[in-house]
């Protein structure tokens, strides 16, 4: 893996300097932008591996940066730094496509650990990247996030795509709910699991001939889910 380039968008100089110093000590190449506008410019010009993004910025907010960058760059890992610990801020950030979230003040060790983890995950995806998934009369373009199904064309959300990629990369394998939460969305495996189940229901609705009798996105009782490209003979719930 070549040297990762980290873009830091942070307006507070003393925070930025501390982070840059430590990231460079870890061997990363670091670019610094003091506003969202400047950061978005750098993203156009440079090959960035990971974005570290402050929320409270002088011009456009970190949320807006996240929203704009996701339009053309759905997979860049984004770590949000925020002075606010409120749950709704966290949720808003994650909804806009941030992958992880740290509340200021945070420890440097924690920060570096998150960065390392996110880069590892990004590499994991890259190594196993599958760009197209074809099964059961469906053709899914995992890059564009579009699908052609028996019911017509549809555009997938980033969360749906992330989950689909994990299934696509490990067909036939039984994946526990915890593994899916972690691999797809970088969430704590211990998180309550209804969200995941709801997403699987959605995938069945999009891609199964009979969503009530799934033959591709299978439930494995007590263990998790399994994706099969070739449908099983017997439908299973
Ligand atoms: Ca700030």
């Amino acid at each position: 893996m070549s040297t990762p380039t980290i873009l830091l968008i942070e307006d507070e100089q003393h925070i930025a300097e501390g982070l840059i110093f430590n990231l460079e000590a870890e061997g990363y190449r670091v670019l610094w932008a003091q506003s969202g506008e400047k950061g978005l410019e750098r993203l156009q010009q440079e090959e960035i591996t990971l974005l570290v993004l402050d929320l409270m910025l002088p011009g456009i907010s970190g949320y807006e940066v996240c929203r704009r960058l996701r339009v053309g760059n759905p997979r860049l890992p984004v770590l949000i730094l925020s002075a606010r610990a409120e749950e709704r801020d966290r949720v808003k950030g994650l909804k806009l496509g941030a992958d992880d979230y740290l509340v200021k003040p945070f420890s440097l060790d924690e920060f570096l650990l998150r960065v390392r983890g996110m880069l590892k995950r990004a590499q994991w995806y890259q190594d196993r990247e599958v760009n197209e998934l074809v099964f059961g009369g469906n053709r899914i373009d995992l890059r564009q996030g579009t699908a052609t199904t028996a019911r017509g064309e549809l555009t997938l959300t980033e969360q749906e795509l992330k989950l689909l990629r994990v299934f696509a990369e490990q067909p036939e394998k039984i994946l526990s709910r915890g593994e899916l939460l972690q691999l797809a969305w970088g969430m704590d495996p211990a998180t309550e699991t209804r969200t995941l189940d709801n997403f699987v229901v959605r995938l069945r609705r999009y891609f199964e001939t009979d969503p009530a009798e799934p033959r591709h996105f299978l439930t494995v009782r007590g263990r998790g889910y399994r994706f099969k490209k070739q449908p099983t003979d017997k439908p299973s719930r």
Side-chain angles (χ1 to χ4, degrees), residues 159-198:
Q159 270 89 352
E160 289 164 355
L161 270 176
K162 283 180 173 174
L163 183 58
L164 264 176
R165 279 195 197 102
V166 175
F167 279 128
E169 281 150 3
Q170 303 183 78
E172 305 295 328
K173 191 175 168 206
I174 298 172
L175 296 158
S176 71
R177 287 177 168 76
E179 283 173 318
L180 287 166
L181 284 169
Q182 192 167 36
L183 291 173
W185 303 325
M187 283 169 76
D188 185 334
T191 318
E192 63 85 27
T193 56
R194 205 172 309 158
T195 312
L196 177 67
D197 297 330
N198 290 338

Side-chain angles (χ1 to χ4, degrees), residues 9-12 15 54-58 81 83 104:
I9 304 182
E10 166 66 83
D11 59 313
E12 282 160 88
I15 295 180
D54 181 33
L55 280 186
M56 302 292 277
L57 294 165
L81 306 179
K104 294 177 182 174

Side-chain angles (χ1 to χ4, degrees), residues 60-74:
I60 58 170
S61 72
Y63 291 127
E64 183 59 20
V65 173
C66 209
R67 200 186 60 74
R68 290 193 199 172
L69 104 98
R70 279 304 181 224
V71 176
N73 198 342

Side-chain angles (χ1 to χ4, degrees), residues 36-159:
E37 290 86 344
K38 291 209 178 89
L40 287 168
E41 268 172 40
R42 295 312 291 270
L43 280 162
Q44 298 280 326
Q45 299 155 351
E46 303 263 354
E47 187 95 352
I48 307 293
T49 326
L50 170 77
L51 172 63
V52 179
L53 177 63
D54 181 33
L55 280 186
M56 302 292 277
L57 294 165
I60 58 170
S61 72
Y63 291 127
E64 183 59 20
V65 173
C66 209
R67 200 186 60 74
R68 290 193 199 172
L69 104 98
R70 279 304 181 224
V71 176
N73 198 342
R75 298 192 66 189
L76 175 71
V78 178
L79 171 59
I80 280 186
L81 306 179
S82 167
R84 299 182 295 189
E86 280 128 60
E87 181 65 13
R88 64 193 155 88
D89 291 333
R90 213 180 79 84
V91 170
K92 187 174 173 192
L94 294 175
K95 268 196 187 146
L96 285 173
D99 301 273
D100 212 340
Y101 196 97
L102 267 180
V103 175
K104 294 177 182 174
F106 47 81
S107 84
L108 210 49
D109 285 345
E110 173 75 11
F111 172 73
L112 293 173
L113 209 68
R114 296 282 181 99
V115 166
R116 220 173 291 147
M118 290 175 77
L119 287 171
K120 223 164 105 181
R121 218 152 56 217
Q123 186 63 36
W124 189 94
Y125 279 125
Q126 215 176 5
D127 290 348
R128 289 163 185 75
E129 195 161 74
V130 179
N131 295 321
E132 193 181 56
L133 181 60
V134 180
F135 67 94
N138 304 290
R139 181 176 294 272
I140 304 168
D141 184 329
L142 293 168
R143 284 233 160 139
Q144 301 292 323
T146 53
T148 309
T149 76
R151 295 181 185 83
E153 307 273 328
L154 64 100
T155 303
L156 297 154
T157 68
E158 188 53 27
Q159 270 89 352

